[in-house]
Amino acid sequence: MSSVAPTCHCGSENAFIDCCDRYLSGAESAPTAEALMRSRYSAFCLRNPDYLLATLQKDIRAKETRKALLKSFAGTQWRQLKVIRCQRGLLGDKAGEVEFAAFFTQDDEGGQLHERSRFVFEDERWFYVDGDILPPISLSRNEPCWCGSGRKLKKCHLA
């Protein structure tokens, strides 16, 4: 009997071991701003504050604490990531932006984080700097529901 490797939290449809795991484990550095953003989302799903702190730009890192990250994990379950747009953030770039929507439940209530994140390339690595919170995106009634049920949105959280 063959086992199927679990897909990555970041929504890439790749196996976790072939996707974000290599960045979270420290085996490799994320090669693009988008890859870093996706791996940070996976780190939130896995409640990995050490990776989240390590991938913050150093000036920002000094302001964030492990304790605050651990507190932010309480009652939150990340459900789905949708990457909307990437600007720059590739090999040879020094900066990049990634716009995404991340869906979550917190204390059994659904929510969405829609952000345009900024990244910098320093010391041969990508780092998260900050982001602008944007208004929630609208999903089509026929899209798969953000909660991961496998049903269409209209048959799940719009029912």
Side-chain angles (χ1 to χ4, degrees), residues 60-133:
I60 307 302
R61 189 178 318 139
K63 299 173 188 171
E64 184 65 78
T65 68
R66 189 173 198 280
K67 184 177 180 180
L69 281 169
L70 289 170
K71 185 177 179 181
S72 77
F73 297 152
T76 303
Q77 186 172 17
W78 295 95
R79 300 292 191 162
Q80 182 186 36
L81 175 68
K82 290 180 82 73
V83 175
I84 298 166
R85 181 177 306 111
C86 300
Q87 295 178 330
R88 300 177 324 277
L90 302 173
L91 185 64
D93 290 335
K94 295 296 180 192
E97 289 185 356
V98 180
E99 181 183 346
F100 68 90
F103 298 87
F104 61 90
T105 54
Q106 185 169 37
D107 302 324
D108 296 324
E109 293 290 322
Q112 179 189 138
L113 170 64
H114 179 197
E115 181 177 307
R116 184 179 309 110
S117 298
R118 284 180 282 283
F119 299 85
V120 294
F121 191 75
E122 296 175 342
D123 302 324
E124 304 302 311
R125 295 184 60 178
W126 284 101
F127 293 95
Y128 173 79
V129 177
D130 62 13
D132 298 322
I133 304 300

Side-chain angles (χ1 to χ4, degrees), residues 140-156:
S140 162
R141 296 171 35 84
N142 290 318
E143 285 188 65
C145 190
W146 57 265
C147 74
S149 68
R151 296 181 292 179
K152 291 183 179 182
L153 184 62
K154 67 183 176 187
K155 299 282 187 178
C156 195

Side-chain angles (χ1 to χ4, degrees), residues 12-65:
S12 67
E13 298 186 13
N14 296 320
F16 175 67
I17 198 164
D18 296 326
C19 194
C20 291
D21 183 50
R22 58 189 165 175
Y23 311 132
L24 277 86
S25 70
E28 296 178 35
S29 295
T32 64
E34 180 182 354
L36 180 62
M37 189 280 309
R38 287 180 177 276
S39 66
R40 285 178 55 81
Y41 175 82
S42 289
F44 274 104
C45 292
L46 295 168
R47 301 171 185 227
N48 182 339
D50 298 325
Y51 183 78
L52 293 167
L53 288 170
T55 55
L56 282 174
Q57 194 266 343
K58 65 183 174 188
D59 294 337
I60 307 302
R61 189 178 318 139
K63 299 173 188 171
E64 184 65 78
T65 68

